[in-house]
Amino acid sequence: RGVDIFFGYSSKGSYVKQEEPNGLTPKEYADYLRETEYKVLFTHQGITIDKGQYSHDGKKAFFNASLKTGDGPKDWVSVNFILASEGSGENACWMIDSLLIRPQSMQRRRRR
């Protein structure tokens, strides 16, 4: 069901919309994700969403979600989201352009 919602809130420029109508179905896409590092989208134990940022023109937004994958302090995976604003006025809505799992090796190191 979550992938159905993902498809419904994907922007016109997103990969899944560019593949429609002959591309993967939500079920096929979910099956594919479960075979990759993206399986954490289905198996995480918790989530923290960082404050987002907007592009200067206000048409794009960027935020990071941290998914808890275990009990240890380093058991987190970052997912970067890029959103696009579609519609205007009261009909404007943030839609998902893309999401990217950041491998542990690419995680930002916090300065002390």
Side-chain angles (χ1 to χ4, degrees):
R1 178 148 166 83
V3 176
D4 288 319
I5 294 168
F6 171 74
F7 268 61
Y9 281 93
S10 291
S11 72
K12 294 174 189 168
S14 73
Y15 175 77
V16 296
K17 291 292 182 174
Q18 292 174 13
E19 292 296 313
E20 288 182 336
N22 299 321
L24 296 173
T25 66
K27 182 189 178 325
E28 291 169 331
Y29 192 58
D31 291 343
Y32 163 76
L33 291 174
R34 285 187 177 98
E35 299 292 323
T36 69
E37 67 269 16
Y38 287 82
K39 67 184 170 203
V40 70
L41 297 170
F42 303 98
T43 61
H44 63 277
Q45 299 173 6
I47 185 169
T48 301
I49 299 175
D50 297 337
K51 183 178 179 181
Q53 298 177 341
Y54 298 98
S55 62
H56 294 291
D57 62 7
K59 294 181 180 179
K60 296 274 187 185
F62 313 90
F63 74 91
N64 182 68
S66 297
L67 305 179
K68 185 152 182 62
T69 59
D71 296 328
K74 294 184 178 184
D75 292 338
W76 292 87
V77 172
S78 290
V79 184
N80 296 95
F81 287 84
I82 299 176
L83 308 178
S85 179
E86 292 186 359
S88 61
E90 291 183 15
N91 294 323
C93 183
W94 287 109
M95 306 295 276
I96 302 166
D97 250 3
S98 65
L99 60 100
L100 174 68
I101 299 284
R102 292 177 77 191
Q104 193 68 26
S105 61
M106 292 181 64
Q107 301 292 322
R108 290 187 184 146
R109 299 209 182 355
R110 296 181 187 250
R111 293 184 181 183
R112 293 179 186 204

